[in-house]
Amino acid sequence: MRREDIKQVQGLKVAALVSVGRHPVTGRPRRADFDARAVEMGLSLVAPENMSLLHAGECSPERESALRGYLGMGIGALDVLDQPPEADIVPALEARLREMGARLVLCGARGEMGEASGLVPFLLAERLGWSLVSGLAQIESVDGDSMTVLQALPRGQRRRLKVRLPAVVTVDAAAQAARQSAYGPARRGELRRIEGEVTPDAAARDWNTAPAKKRPKRLKIVKAASARDRFKAAAAKAEGGGGQVLTGLSPQAGAEAILKLLREEGVLR
Amino acid sequence: MNDIVRRDPRSEWIARNRLHPEHDAVLARMGGGAPAAQWMGPNGVIRRDPHAVGFIGPNGIRRIDRSGAQSAGAGGAARREAAAAPARRRVDIDTPAFFIAVVADMPGGRLSAHDRDLLGLARQLADAETDGAVLLVSFGDPRETGLGEAGVDRVLNFAGEQFEGYAPELRLTALGGVERQHAPRHWLFPDSPLGGAELGRRFAARLGERPATQVWQIADGRCTGRGAAGASDITRELPRIVLALPECAEPVADTVHAAEAIAPPAALPQALRRVEDLGAVAVDPAGVALAEAEFILSAGNGIHDWDGFHQAARVLGATEGASRVAVDNGFMPRHRQVGATGTWVTARVYLSAGISGAVQHLQGIQQCDKVVAINTDAGCDMVKRADLAVIADTGEVLAALVELVEGGRKEQRNAA
Ligand SMILES: Cc1cc2nc3c(=O)[nH]c(=O)nc-3n(C[C@H](O)[C@H](O)[C@H](O)COP(=O)(O)OP(=O)(O)OC[C@H]3O[C@@H](n4cnc5c(N)ncnc54)[C@H](O)[C@@H]3O)c2cc1C
């Protein structure tokens, strides 16, 4: 969709939760891909002044430059809730969102560092008592108390949903890719540090974190008593697995049989 | 007749010992009265009868099996049959001590491979103690017949059209009802986009319990899951709610379970409906990537009327695929090729028109659920692979199919 096509919604306050990402190859901090898409979706909806960015975490110089990547998308300021790495950020985010009075919160489907379980939007929606939709492809329209969105289904399909506001939505790879981050605005933008209450994350303390191990590939196990059976199973070609073969039918009858199967499988719309 | 194999070690020993005086007699007896294929002639020379060797195979051709399976004696055939279809041990759990609940995705009403892996995992957790039962919680119309083989002891199905489509809030209250009634020891969800991944996280947030996500291994009461977008492994105590990745465990293979239906909780609290499903949006099937298309109409060398083929794909709403020959001959673009050197497709329904089913092509459709073949040759490999094969000319069948579908749509429009 072209950017000019989108009607900007007046008077809607949108917040996007952003995190520090990690480049999958170099491992350097960057803006997280899904979060940047969420910001992009917000910018398609409201003017940059009505869009606030929110990050909870510590603020080292390296992470700061990654966060400035979001400011380079044309937004003037980013709020950083100062939280140590071992803190549970959900209470702090909840308090801040209540304060801000945002009606729509956009999140990436999951982070790129730490636990990255993708739970934050769900916990926030539950605590705030807001609606939640995941896997958004596009927000079509917002009117008053509800909005119409397109949700991305597997296999390239889309589903239209009507969602009551206020809402928390998550965005993943199906949404429009984020615009480039411009260097100048990223430098000029403001990072506002906000002190807040810190809730320690007790449960995560006795976790064991290690670099990801390669998962073993699943082997095809053939249960057979003799070597001959094992060989036959390994060398077997596709056999007739009880399929139905219709011979000597008219094309119409054949087509009907196929149509019946397509209807049963529900692939025909 | 019972099929217990009775062994006679003495005659087996004699059968192995060629020099034993009773060797011939025992061999004849073990051969089921059939003439012995080999015996000692009067002059001490071994005589052979080639006609007595081997057995007549299923297609009327004499087969000679030198693996020893055949000459193992009477009952060999019965034993071979048993080996071909290894009987699964039946396990019934009358009064479950605890439940391991699995909330399967069941796309199209059938267990997906991911669901089966998860049931395998649930089985491991349930069998760690005596009388643990696997409880499958499913929504919508169940169409799966092999639940018992997948390791399910009890099934709790929420039927009804209100659970169809996107109804996360309703499903959540339903799961809450199951939680109150059965209090499963663990809840397992497939960590699949928009399926278990969403429902499981919602459920965990509702219960206020911290789930383990992206889990791929469970051992000794600890689980390992991916973190940091797949860059790290987090190992922790096994929590109550687990969202597991595909291939987290082997599916159940050697037992069969009762899969007994139990009634869903009668009174569910009214769910708040803040999200309304307005239905699927028509997407252009031609724009869907071949690898993730749900329904593919694939063309091979047996297609002569290409306009008819494209029209059929349009009318059926199918994504187009092709065999290599159709691509090489320039009728289809290269990115539409299915097979070993093309795309490995995952369609739920694969409709092949005029494709012979070369191994390279069949490799590409290994993961398809239902394969339909239209071909003039009833003996080709595609017909053997297909769940439904129509032996007729592709052009005519596709034209008839288009006519039927369009006719049906016109009728609907008139009725409406
Ligand atoms: C290294 C290598 C890699 C390859 N990789 C691939 C690959 O990735 N994908 C792939 O597809 N192939 C691949 N091939 C080619 C493959 O071996 C076969 O040649 C090819 O798949 C055959 O295509 P086909 O079935 O369309 O054609 P054919 O084998 O010619 O089959 C045509 C079929 O149509 C039927 N037919 C003819 N007329 C009609 C009619 N009027 N109505 C109904 N049926 C009719 C015939 O009975 C026949 O079964 C590869 C080959 C090699 C050597």
Side-chain angles (χ1 to χ4, degrees):
Chain A
M1 194 179 355
R2 291 202 315 274
R3 292 228 163 87
E4 306 85 76
D5 291 350
I6 303 159
K7 275 204 307 277
Q8 302 253 303
V9 185
Q10 300 299 319
L12 180 73
K13 267 195 158 175
V14 178
L17 306 187
V18 298
S19 64
V20 178
R22 180 183 169 281
H23 193 280
V25 180
T26 61
R28 285 171 55 166
R30 58 157 190 183
R31 54 176 187 165
D33 181 40
F34 292 167
D35 295 349
R37 284 176 195 254
V39 174
E40 182 67 51
M41 184 174 281
L43 288 175
S44 74
L45 212 60
V46 294
E49 306 83 74
N50 287 334
M51 170 105 193
S52 33
L53 300 182
L54 197 54
H55 171 73
E58 51 165 359
C59 205
S60 64
E62 214 180 22
R63 293 167 60 93
E64 188 183 314
S65 70
L67 288 174
R68 284 191 177 275
Y70 297 105
L71 294 176
M73 295 172 74
I75 299 166
L78 191 154
D79 295 341
V80 182
L81 305 176
D82 239 339
Q83 298 276 320
E86 63 276 5
D88 182 3
I89 56 165
V90 174
L93 284 175
E94 184 201 350
R96 178 73 191 152
L97 285 173
R98 280 189 196 279
E99 227 173 88
M100 279 168 42
R103 306 254 298 146
L104 177 61
V105 177
L106 302 163
C107 319
R110 90 178 106 72
E112 294 180 358
M113 293 230 233
E115 191 188 355
S117 62
L119 272 168
V120 170
F122 292 86
L123 293 172
L124 280 176
E126 188 66 33
R127 280 160 165 250
L128 293 164
W130 293 5
S131 12
L132 180 138
V133 205
S134 65
L136 242 58
Q138 190 188 332
I139 296 182
E140 288 190 317
S141 65
V142 181
D143 33 28
D145 257 356
S146 64
M147 62 176 177
T148 318
V149 301
L150 284 189
Q151 188 182 38
L153 304 183
R155 305 188 174 283
Q157 305 294 314
R158 296 280 185 270
R159 176 158 63 193
R160 188 167 283 132
L161 302 175
K162 192 169 175 178
V163 185
R164 191 120 35 97
L165 290 175
V168 180
V169 303
T170 77
V171 167
D172 58 25
Q176 195 186 11
R179 65 187 69 179
Q180 274 219 320
S181 173
Y183 184 73
R187 286 291 101 193
R188 281 193 297 278
E190 189 189 354
L191 283 188
R192 288 193 293 249
R193 294 177 69 156
I194 300 171
E195 301 286 329
E197 224 168 280
V198 174
T199 321
D201 185 2
R205 225 169 276 150
D206 30 75
W207 291 357
N208 218 337
T209 309
K213 261 194 302 197
K214 211 166 166 205
R215 286 181 64 182
K217 224 176 174 175
R218 177 178 278 178
L219 300 175
K220 198 170 122 200
I221 299 169
V222 178
K223 289 210 170 117
S226 71
R228 180 170 167 271
D229 290 344
R230 272 197 300 279
F231 175 75
K232 262 169 70 179
K237 265 182 118 179
E239 271 172 46
Q244 192 187 2
V245 181
L246 307 176
T247 17
L249 284 184
S250 70
Q252 278 72 23
E256 262 163 39
I258 294 175
L259 200 61
K260 187 159 152 275
L261 186 139
L262 298 184
R263 289 240 164 86
E264 271 172 15
E265 292 296 320
V267 289
L268 215 60
R269 269 183 266 278
Chain B
M1 231 190 91
N2 66 12
D3 37 86
I4 299 171
V5 180
R6 300 222 176 268
R7 297 184 64 173
D8 179 356
R10 181 167 181 273
S11 52
E12 280 176 19
W13 175 70
I14 295 175
R16 282 198 299 275
N17 183 359
R18 281 185 296 110
L19 302 178
H20 197 280
E22 286 172 39
H23 180 66
D24 289 348
V26 166
L27 266 194
R29 212 171 340 115
M30 287 176 74
Q38 189 183 50
W39 66 94
M40 185 84 75
N43 306 336
V45 180
I46 296 286
R47 315 302 309 253
R48 288 200 170 87
D49 176 4
H51 299 288
V53 177
F55 59 97
I56 306 297
N59 34 17
I61 299 173
R62 177 175 294 277
R63 317 308 309 242
I64 300 175
D65 181 353
R66 300 195 193 278
S67 71
Q70 189 199 6
S71 57
R79 232 182 293 162
R80 216 171 320 126
E81 256 165 48
R88 291 184 171 217
R89 190 161 48 86
R90 192 172 171 84
V91 180
D92 281 308
I93 294 168
D94 297 325
T95 45
F98 60 93
F99 281 117
I100 305 290
V102 175
V103 185
D105 282 345
M106 304 195 76
R110 290 203 193 81
L111 291 174
S112 65
H114 194 171
D115 291 338
R116 286 180 195 279
D117 296 345
L118 217 66
L119 287 168
L121 185 65
R123 207 61 262 163
Q124 284 177 16
L125 292 173
D127 293 342
E129 281 171 46
T130 45
D131 279 353
V134 173
L135 171 69
L136 175 78
V137 182
S138 61
F139 298 96
D141 241 356
R143 256 185 282 160
E144 176 68 52
T145 46
L147 287 179
E149 282 80 9
V152 178
D153 293 307
R154 300 284 187 277
V155 189
L156 210 161
N157 183 53
F158 290 94
E161 65 177 46
Q162 71 269 31
F163 289 105
E164 304 273 354
Y166 188 65
E169 285 146 338
L170 212 60
R171 291 183 176 202
L172 200 56
T173 47
L175 293 186
V178 178
E179 165 76 14
R180 273 191 301 283
Q181 193 172 359
H182 299 289
R185 180 173 290 186
H186 288 288
W187 282 94
L188 307 186
F189 292 84
D191 205 344
S192 57
L194 285 187
E198 187 189 325
L199 193 60
R201 285 179 174 86
R202 275 182 198 266
F203 186 60
R206 176 65 49 92
L207 292 193
E209 296 200 30
R210 186 149 184 174
T213 57
Q214 311 241 15
V215 170
W216 58 273
Q217 192 175 49
I218 292 187
D220 312 327
R222 292 178 72 78
C223 65
T224 306
R226 290 282 197 235
S232 68
D233 273 338
I234 299 175
T235 309
R236 63 178 107 174
E237 294 287 317
L238 185 65
R240 251 193 96 209
I241 303 177
V242 177
L243 281 75
L245 291 175
E247 302 197 0
C248 51
E250 289 296 327
V252 173
D254 35 37
T255 51
V256 56
H257 296 257
E260 190 183 302
I262 54 179
L268 289 177
Q270 193 71 34
L272 213 55
R273 303 206 67 176
R274 289 175 295 204
V275 182
E276 194 187 336
D277 189 351
L278 301 183
V281 179
V283 288
D284 180 12
V288 177
L290 198 54
E292 57 173 30
E294 185 168 36
F295 173 29
I296 296 179
L297 174 61
S298 201
N301 203 16
I303 294 274
H304 305 297
D305 171 16
W306 285 93
D307 292 335
F309 169 75
H310 293 305
Q311 196 203 350
R314 207 165 41 244
V315 169
L316 294 175
T319 305
E320 290 182 4
S323 77
R324 176 156 172 180
V325 172
V327 172
D328 283 352
N329 292 351
F331 294 115
M332 293 289 281
R334 179 65 70 194
H335 67 268
R336 291 284 162 208
Q337 179 180 326
V338 173
T341 45
T343 309
W344 291 53
V345 298
T346 57
R348 236 162 19 86
V349 179
Y350 186 81
L351 177 51
S352 78
I355 296 180
S356 60
V359 270
Q360 292 93 351
H361 192 87
L362 290 183
Q363 274 173 2
I365 61 168
Q366 265 168 3
Q367 290 178 34
C368 294
D369 273 354
K370 291 269 169 190
V371 176
V372 184
I374 309 174
N375 204 312
T376 40
D377 174 10
C380 71
D381 284 335
M382 185 53 96
V383 170
K384 288 187 192 140
R385 164 72 172 83
D387 298 282
L388 172 69
V390 175
I391 308 304
D393 182 70
T394 42
E396 289 171 15
V397 174
L398 286 183
L401 207 51
V402 166
E403 216 165 88
L404 273 177
V405 173
E406 286 195 325
R409 287 204 182 131
K410 217 169 279 164
E411 247 168 55
Q412 263 180 2
R413 230 172 292 139
N414 288 349

